[in-house]
Amino acid sequence: MKSHLSLQKVSSAYRQQQVLQDIDLDIFGDEILCVLGPSGSGKSTVLKSIAGLQPISSGRIELNGTVLNDVGVHQPPQQRGIGLIFQDYALFPHLRVVDNIAFSGQANASEVAKLIELLGLQGLEQRFPHEISGGQQQRVAIARAMAYQPAFLLMDEPFSNIDQQTRWPLIRELHDIFRAQKIGVVFVTHSIDEAFYLADRVAILDQGRVLQCSVPESLYRQPNNLAVAEFLDLGLCFEILSRQADTLQTVLGEMKVVETIPDDHSHVFITSEQLTVAESVDGFKIIQKQRLAHGISYHVSNHQHSMRLTLAVDQDFAVGTVLNVQIKPHKPWSLSA
């Protein structure tokens, strides 16, 4: 039976300021869930609450039916069966790699050896943390957490201190390890790329609330409100200037609709593949451009409206170029503010 971690209406306050508000999440032991959001949104507080490092002010947290937090109940961190991996690794500097991994006493020598092999740490067993790289230190931290044989692993910005060259091979390798070992993982990151690659589901957090929790594909194509779409910045949000029964008017012209758009939906969301873009004598002029890892970002304006377009790398236009931008026929996705 797979593990089940449940957060029910969890709220948390710090110095009379609300940090988490009515968080509802169900996480299962065969999935990887990412908590993604801007700085100060409460991401790390979610992990600390699950781990028992920070008390909650209301709500309930359960693991496999055992209550970890509720009114009058607070299981101490060491009794929760949950492993926590910190951003700065938190290894014991005076212990060698093998002793850091074996510190809990939960794993015997054979199990520690298997973790060393699983995490690719062979040959480093007798080294101290300061004698190995940041990526290797993070592997040691993960092996140490897994040695506790936890029901879930919690990871707080686990790759932020690792250089780009090392980070992605490590992320891909850990993805395969977690899958093969059927370990439930909850991790926090500020990187959309990390979240969309590693996670089965992504919970978008803002101002202490879960705005949407879904699979990456749904977040990409169907964000459920304007705040999610603007935070992810994976498409274009156009204000609906006016509407008729079967037509919406936007800055890019008319959009035909096949069903009624709700009255409280003020914007439409469009991904770049739903646009045709070509050089023209009339349209949006490129004011600025910026090369990104996944494309090219353009700031364009037609003197009445300005917007930012992120296009594929092969759609490379010079600053000053005028673009004709049109929406391909499709069923538009509308958003509430």
Side-chain angles (χ1 to χ4, degrees):
M1 181 177 176
K2 60 187 176 184
S3 296
H4 177 210
L5 180 63
S6 174
L7 281 70
Q8 305 163 24
K9 302 296 180 187
V10 171
S11 296
S12 178
Y14 179 71
R15 293 183 177 177
Q16 299 183 329
Q17 182 177 354
Q18 201 73 23
V19 182
L20 300 180
Q21 302 182 58
D22 294 330
I23 299 291
D24 284 315
L25 286 172
D26 281 292
I27 311 150
F28 296 93
D30 58 352
E31 72 171 337
I32 301 172
L33 176 82
C34 172
V35 182
L36 181 66
S39 297
S41 60
K43 302 187 299 295
S44 293
T45 304
V46 171
L47 290 195
K48 291 176 182 176
S49 298
I50 295 171
L53 299 177
Q54 182 160 320
I56 63 175
S57 51
S58 62
R60 184 183 180 97
I61 300 176
E62 292 183 2
L63 175 60
N64 298 331
T66 298
V67 178
L68 305 182
N69 286 91
D70 202 346
V71 178
V73 178
H74 179 85
Q75 283 268 33
Q78 66 273 19
Q79 295 179 13
R80 294 194 172 210
I82 291 174
L84 182 60
I85 299 164
F86 298 94
Q87 179 179 341
D88 59 358
Y89 321 134
L91 299 177
F92 299 108
H94 63 292
L95 295 181
R96 300 179 192 274
V97 165
V98 66
D99 298 317
N100 262 285
I101 295 171
F103 181 81
S104 68
Q106 298 282 82
N108 59 37
S110 175
E111 290 167 333
V112 170
K114 287 179 181 178
L115 287 170
I116 287 171
E117 181 179 359
L118 183 66
L119 274 299
L121 294 167
Q122 302 97 318
L124 304 177
E125 294 91 335
Q126 300 305 315
R127 295 191 188 183
F128 291 99
H130 71 273
E131 296 176 323
I132 60 178
S133 69
Q136 290 166 339
Q137 289 183 53
Q138 188 62 291
R139 290 170 186 267
V140 175
I142 293 167
R144 183 181 61 183
M146 290 173 65
Y148 282 83
Q149 301 174 356
F152 280 88
L153 286 180
L154 309 181
M155 305 175 74
D156 191 2
E157 298 276 7
F159 312 112
S160 61
N161 289 337
I162 301 174
D163 65 84
Q164 189 75 12
Q165 267 189 320
T166 306
R167 180 183 306 166
W168 280 104
L170 178 59
I171 289 172
R172 287 191 286 269
E173 189 174 338
L174 290 177
H175 178 272
D176 294 341
I177 289 172
F178 295 149
R179 282 283 177 276
Q181 300 295 311
K182 300 189 184 306
I183 297 174
V185 177
V186 184
F187 80 103
V188 159
T189 182
H190 63 274
S191 168
I192 296 169
D193 289 340
E194 287 180 14
F196 275 46
Y197 179 83
L198 192 56
D200 296 298
R201 290 187 299 142
V202 179
I204 306 296
L205 200 68
D206 189 35
Q207 297 182 7
R209 293 183 181 275
V210 175
L211 301 182
Q212 186 172 354
C213 182
S214 189
V215 298
E217 179 68 15
S218 292
L219 289 170
Y220 173 64
R221 298 194 177 279
Q222 297 180 336
N224 66 1
N225 60 64
L226 188 59
V228 171
E230 290 183 336
F231 171 72
L232 292 176
D233 195 25
L234 297 174
L236 299 168
C237 298
F238 295 117
E239 185 180 2
I240 300 171
L241 302 177
S242 64
R243 66 182 83 197
Q244 296 177 351
D246 62 347
T247 306
L248 302 177
Q249 189 69 35
T250 75
V251 296
L252 294 184
E254 291 185 348
M255 295 181 65
K256 294 293 183 180
V257 295
V258 296
E259 58 187 41
T260 303
I261 300 296
D263 291 339
D264 64 339
H265 285 202
S266 59
H267 290 71
V268 288
F269 175 77
I270 297 169
T271 57
S272 59
E273 61 260 32
Q274 294 163 339
L275 298 173
T276 57
V277 180
E279 292 188 34
S280 176
V281 295
D282 186 29
F284 287 85
K285 184 177 181 179
I286 298 175
I287 308 301
Q288 292 178 331
K289 68 182 286 187
Q290 179 184 5
R291 294 189 181 276
L292 307 172
H294 60 281
I296 305 174
S297 175
Y298 298 97
H299 175 213
V300 299
S301 174
N302 67 355
H303 304 298
Q304 292 178 312
H305 301 283
S306 63
M307 61 183 178
R308 195 163 64 81
L309 293 173
T310 300
L311 303 177
V313 291
D314 60 347
Q315 293 183 289
D316 192 350
F317 303 100
V319 173
T321 302
V322 177
L323 301 176
N324 177 262
V325 184
Q326 293 188 352
I327 303 170
K328 297 176 183 178
H330 74 287
K331 181 180 177 181
W333 183 255
S334 62
L335 302 168
S336 59

